[in-house]
Amino acid sequence: QIELLSALARERAGCTTFFSVEQEHDVKADLKRIQPHVVALSAKTGGYPITLKYARWVKQNNPNTIVVVGGPHCTFDQSLIEYDEVDVVVAGEADDAWVEILQRIQSNRSYDEVPNVFTKSNWASRFKNATQMERTRHLSNRITDLDRLPFLDREIVYTRVPHIAKFPMRSFMTSRGCPYQCTYCFEPKFNEIYRGKGLPYQRYSPERVVDELRYTIERYPTQFIKFYDDIFWIHNTLAEEPWLEEFAKLYKKHIRLPFFLLTRC
């Protein structure tokens, strides 16, 4: 998500980040004013033509700006790299790949061999006619220690869209993934792609979640918490600690706000 990408870029690659959304801003004017070195876009299947529209705007403003596209669509289909206006496609969990791309751009090094990254060069030479299995081998393992990720950079959104900052609900995710096989969901296919590259479900520690909750509600007026985990109540039988019980104790002690969560029968 935007806030995590911004936090990673700022803290681990020393970048300055900006945010612009068409419904709120004049994106073309922002591009002209900022003259960014890199523009990151997200693509959903069915909605990627809009992503390509923004990519064209970027190239019209400055052909040398590097357009990086990630998101759900790119995890399952990397062929967006074939469009002239796209320079880099990132598939799968891209936390480390995103930082590596930025660092290599800064030092003028190639990022063709960075896991999860598809470029014009490696697509033509290795991946265009490759099998899904061969492309999957280019993905790094799933992150197992989510606690090492930075707090979300909510400020990048709140400063540009103040009414979101004033809205008294804050959204969080305490985990990634889902082990279930619901036919209507993308997760089973995602788990198939990542088979052998880590468990299908990862979670922040209870202490880490509460730390970020406290950090956020101390800075922004908050009356309600929404947890966006695919399934919040999962009990990880592989872990020694009872996550839900520990989290409930900490939440009651430090947060004490009404909340909403997602679950399944």
Side-chain angles (χ1 to χ4, degrees), residues 96-148:
D96 294 333
W98 169 239
V99 174
E100 184 77 6
I101 290 169
L102 295 175
Q103 291 174 339
R104 289 181 179 238
I105 289 173
Q106 291 169 337
S107 58
N108 198 31
R109 292 180 292 151
S110 169
Y111 35 83
D112 289 344
E113 300 303 319
V114 174
N116 299 67
V117 174
F118 297 83
T119 65
K120 290 282 193 290
S121 176
N122 68 25
W123 183 257
S125 62
R126 296 170 54 193
F127 296 117
K128 182 174 183 177
N129 298 314
T131 65
Q132 181 63 53
M133 181 69 72
E134 290 170 321
R135 294 178 189 173
T136 297
R137 281 199 288 267
H138 189 52
L139 303 182
S140 60
N141 291 342
R142 282 174 155 168
I143 293 178
T144 57
D145 180 14
L146 297 185
D147 283 10
R148 71 178 176 84

Side-chain angles (χ1 to χ4, degrees), residues 38-96:
V38 179
V39 169
L41 302 169
S42 183
K44 294 182 179 180
T45 301
Y48 68 80
I50 299 173
T51 301
L52 294 174
K53 177 186 76 171
Y54 297 144
R56 285 191 292 272
W57 288 2
V58 173
K59 292 299 187 181
Q60 289 166 2
N61 177 73
N62 185 346
N64 294 320
T65 301
I66 299 171
V67 174
V68 181
V69 181
H73 182 75
C74 296
T75 293
F76 300 103
D77 181 4
Q78 297 83 42
S79 64
L80 282 185
I81 193 62
E82 296 182 5
Y83 286 87
D84 292 340
E85 55 267 45
V86 176
D87 299 299
V88 183
V89 162
V90 186
E93 292 189 357
D95 312 272
D96 294 333

Side-chain angles (χ1 to χ4, degrees), residues 136 148 187 228 235 247:
T136 297
R148 71 178 176 84
E187 289 284 9
Y228 268 100
H235 178 71
F247 178 73

Side-chain angles (χ1 to χ4, degrees), residues 146-147 149-152 204-213:
L146 297 185
D147 283 10
L149 296 173
F151 289 177
L152 300 184
Y204 292 93
S205 67
E207 295 80 8
R208 168 64 168 72
V209 176
V210 170
D211 282 348
E212 185 162 0
L213 283 164

Side-chain angles (χ1 to χ4, degrees), residues 13-60:
C15 297
T16 303
T17 57
F18 305 89
F19 172 66
S20 189
V21 58
E22 189 174 12
Q23 290 85 348
E24 300 284 343
H25 311 120
D26 185 336
V27 177
K28 289 184 177 180
D30 281 349
L31 287 168
K32 186 175 181 179
R33 173 177 57 87
I34 298 168
Q35 291 298 322
H37 294 93
V38 179
V39 169
L41 302 169
S42 183
K44 294 182 179 180
T45 301
Y48 68 80
I50 299 173
T51 301
L52 294 174
K53 177 186 76 171
Y54 297 144
R56 285 191 292 272
W57 288 2
V58 173
K59 292 299 187 181
Q60 289 166 2

